[in-house]
Amino acid sequence: MTTVPAFANCHSHVFHRALRGRVTGADSFWTWRDQMYALAAVLDPDLLFDLARATYAEMHLAGIRSVGEFHYLHHGPDGQPYDDPNAMGEALIAAAREAGVRIALLDTCYLAAGFGLSTSSRSREVEGVQRRFSDGDADSWATRVEDLARKHAGEDDVVIGAAIHSVRAVPRDQLPTVAFAFPFAPLHVHVSEQPAENDECLAATGLTPVALLGEAGAWTPRTTAVHATHLTPDDIATLGDARAYACFCPTTEAELADGIGPSVALREAGARLTLGSDSNTVIDMFAEARAVEMHQRLASGVRGAWTAEQLWQAAGATGHGSLGFAAGDPIEVGESVRTAGADELLWAASAEDVVGDRGDVAHRLAAAIDACWSRT
Ligand SMILES: [Zn+2]
């Protein structure tokens, strides 16, 4: 048995776990999103709690001790708030707590369906299931999140952070409100995951997503750029100068055909790498860490841009810190057919090698996922 640093999973959409192995043959990110929306439409606080508790249990078994939950499924199916407007967020916090995983609930502002079709037109209104995501405007979002933050102030296993879903989903004039609402909390934002987002942002604003967020004051040392896949040299310099975090989610980025982000250029510019399981198609931080280096090799034809030590740092201490937590106790990795003879576990082990009681987690996952799809 060997001890290694506990993992931080800095970008999760926990309910996407129910899509694993079910959405095949979808031909693009956008058709995948349609399937995800069908699932989002049926979740309520009880279903979400069961699914999240089982999925966070899977994360715990994978050695994850902090999760950044990028949470935007706020309201009832028609967009009507629940009696407790934070019922869905509370379900996630309770689920993480039961699973023994610290949670940074990154309460996500999501107000619009996309950019207006010209530079002078307003953002498109949310439609269908997206109504569940929206608080109407950024001030109403901030008021709701303030209430949640007050309830959980001083708890050492919960951080309430903020998130901008994307430049598509928060209109330009409301970005500063979200960026400055919680000046001491983590701020996360999906940025430049898909070329289409960049094209639309340029057409609507004349700026790249990173530049538009820079105009709003979003880039600080407490900010995480999630994905950061399709960046210009100026974008990379902006994130580096701000000492922002860049959260790569390589298994999801491969699954969704996003592309390979400029991890080395970001590091050399001064940005700090963290890792996330995002869509939870895979929950294995060994796989995420290795894939950063493997994708870099495939893209560059050169080996060794990332050392094991740098990747342990990204998967551990840097990640926990980005979510507002200390690194915590190490985890134990057992010997297996995979790890036998390996000097460096980062290149060899999988989540299955983390020591833990697997108990009935598989059964609970299957039951929770069946319950979700039976409602669709
Ligand atoms: Zn995401």
Side-chain angles (χ1 to χ4, degrees):
M1 211 121 76
T2 311
T3 58
V4 300
F7 292 122
N9 179 8
C10 297
H11 189 67
S12 161
H13 305 283
V14 71
F15 75 90
H16 294 188
R17 174 63 181 82
L19 294 159
R20 185 188 297 179
R22 289 189 181 239
V23 185
T24 52
D27 61 8
S28 77
F29 173 88
W30 306 102
T31 47
W32 170 86
R33 195 179 72 158
D34 290 342
Q35 303 284 322
M36 185 266 284
Y37 277 6
L39 177 65
V42 300
L43 290 167
D44 62 20
D46 291 339
L47 272 179
L48 181 63
F49 173 79
D50 288 343
L51 177 59
R53 183 175 56 172
T55 304
Y56 292 144
E58 181 182 357
M59 289 187 196
H60 191 276
L61 287 173
I64 292 163
R65 296 294 181 267
S66 306
V67 63
E69 180 63 35
F70 199 100
H71 167 55
Y72 54 84
L73 201 49
H74 301 306
H75 302 301
D78 48 1
Q80 194 66 28
Y82 290 105
D83 289 345
D84 173 359
N86 285 309
M88 296 291 263
E90 294 285 12
L92 294 169
I93 291 168
R97 197 165 261 164
E98 283 205 17
V101 177
R102 299 174 297 183
I103 184 169
L105 191 82
L106 305 163
D107 196 300
T108 304
C109 187
Y110 193 122
L111 304 173
F115 291 105
L117 298 178
S118 73
T119 47
S120 58
S121 58
R122 297 178 59 78
S123 297
R124 301 201 307 280
E125 286 195 15
V126 289
E127 54 198 16
V129 70
Q130 293 171 339
R131 285 197 285 270
R132 303 193 67 178
F133 310 164
S134 177
D135 291 289
D137 58 48
D139 286 326
S140 303
W141 164 84
T143 302
R144 181 178 55 71
V145 182
E146 270 164 29
D147 190 44
L148 187 65
R150 239 190 324 270
K151 281 192 182 131
H152 292 280
E155 295 175 358
D156 57 12
D157 57 349
V158 178
V159 165
I160 306 298
I164 294 164
H165 179 275
S166 57
V167 290
R168 286 179 280 121
V170 179
R172 183 178 195 167
D173 62 352
Q174 307 209 37
L175 288 170
T177 302
V178 187
F180 291 109
F182 301 94
F184 303 106
L187 173 68
H188 286 227
V189 53
H190 287 135
V191 68
S192 294
E193 177 177 8
Q194 287 281 326
E197 174 188 309
N198 287 3
D199 295 345
E200 287 175 20
C201 188
L202 275 167
T205 69
L207 298 172
T208 66
V210 167
L212 183 63
L213 289 158
E215 173 196 83
W219 300 120
T220 74
R222 67 186 173 87
T223 311
T224 294
V226 179
H227 301 302
T229 309
H230 300 282
L231 302 181
T232 66
D234 282 350
D235 291 341
I236 292 168
T238 297
L239 297 178
D241 290 346
R243 295 281 292 143
Y245 300 101
C247 183
F248 276 38
C249 309
T251 65
T252 295
E253 288 150 9
E255 218 266 336
L256 294 178
D258 288 340
I260 299 171
S263 62
V264 175
L266 282 164
R267 183 186 73 208
E268 288 173 351
R272 293 168 288 172
L273 181 73
T274 62
L275 299 169
S277 66
D278 191 4
S279 65
N280 295 314
T281 298
V282 174
I283 296 176
D284 185 340
M285 302 308 289
F286 289 104
E288 302 295 347
R290 274 199 296 273
V292 171
E293 164 64 12
M294 297 307 160
H295 289 182
Q296 186 65 28
R297 291 182 190 181
L298 289 169
S300 68
V302 179
R303 304 175 78 224
W306 286 92
T307 65
E309 194 180 337
Q310 287 170 318
L311 293 170
W312 280 119
Q313 178 73 25
T318 305
H320 294 291
S322 78
L323 299 176
F325 295 116
D329 297 332
I331 56 170
E332 291 176 337
V333 178
E335 204 173 83
S336 73
V337 289
R338 279 178 294 273
T339 60
D343 284 337
E344 175 48 76
L345 287 173
L346 190 108
W347 305 121
S350 84
E352 280 287 309
D353 299 316
V354 175
V355 175
D357 176 7
R358 274 147 181 81
D360 63 348
V361 174
H363 174 75
R364 286 196 283 126
L365 274 165
I369 291 166
D370 281 350
C372 293
W373 287 111
S374 71
R375 299 261 191 109
T376 59

